[in-house]
Amino acid sequence: MRDYTIVFIEPVDLGELAAEAADAFAIPLEQLEVWDGSDFAAPVVEPVIAQVAAGSEEGAYAEFVGFDAFAAHAGEPELLDVAVALATRTKRRVLFGPETAEEFRWTLVAADGSHGKVVLDDDRFDDGAIAILGAVEEISGAPELPRVPESL
């Protein structure tokens, strides 16, 4: 099963996010589920291709989630390509987690599409909060992030 989970770490309107995702990936808006954390914005037509939802962790303002139906509909795009499309369209920073358990670095995509690996605060993450300690590599759209060693 493919997993396209993109976490927005800056405020974004769920309706705007849904519209941009629908436009970027040619998803009929009625097949994109919008969940505000307590209710759905509108009924959807099956099959649901993707979902936008209120963030589930402290520091996560919204999430875009797509699984097999999204992958099939969008032509199996790379996770980074999905993140770049959503970040640049909404002009908001996003994160996505590592694809394997052996990786420990998340990827930050800035509003301008630049991207790189970042280190999250493990203690805060374990408590359900997303906090970036710094970037492992330079990210032009996030120059304020301190550089941290790869081994951190």
Side-chain angles (χ1 to χ4, degrees):
M1 175 176 14
R2 293 292 309 253
D3 178 7
Y4 295 88
T5 300
I6 311 294
V7 178
F8 285 75
I9 58 171
E10 296 178 328
V12 61
D13 178 81
L14 294 178
E16 173 193 352
L17 174 53
E20 292 296 347
D23 187 52
F25 302 106
I27 300 170
L29 200 51
E30 62 273 6
Q31 287 181 278
L32 206 156
E33 190 172 64
V34 180
W35 171 254
D36 70 6
S38 61
D39 200 7
F40 292 103
V44 293
V45 174
E46 294 293 332
V48 173
I49 293 174
Q51 180 186 66
V52 297
S56 59
E57 309 290 338
E58 178 187 335
Y61 292 93
E63 296 175 1
F64 170 88
V65 181
F67 293 108
D68 291 335
F70 172 76
H73 177 83
E76 303 278 335
E78 293 297 319
L79 183 58
L80 177 60
D81 294 335
V82 174
V84 168
L86 294 174
T88 57
R89 284 173 166 271
T90 62
K91 303 294 185 220
R92 304 292 191 283
R93 290 180 183 183
V94 301
L95 281 173
F96 62 87
E99 293 193 30
T100 67
E102 292 79 35
E103 294 179 57
F104 301 103
R105 304 294 171 242
W106 285 53
T107 300
L108 172 77
V109 179
D112 67 356
S114 61
H115 52 85
K117 300 292 184 186
V118 296
V119 176
L120 300 185
D121 183 325
D122 287 340
D123 293 332
R124 294 201 54 207
F125 190 73
D126 289 344
D127 292 335
I130 295 176
I132 299 172
L133 292 175
V136 174
E137 53 200 336
E138 183 178 331
I139 303 170
S140 62
E144 77 289 350
L145 289 179
R147 293 288 299 273
V148 295
E150 178 83 31
S151 61
L152 186 65

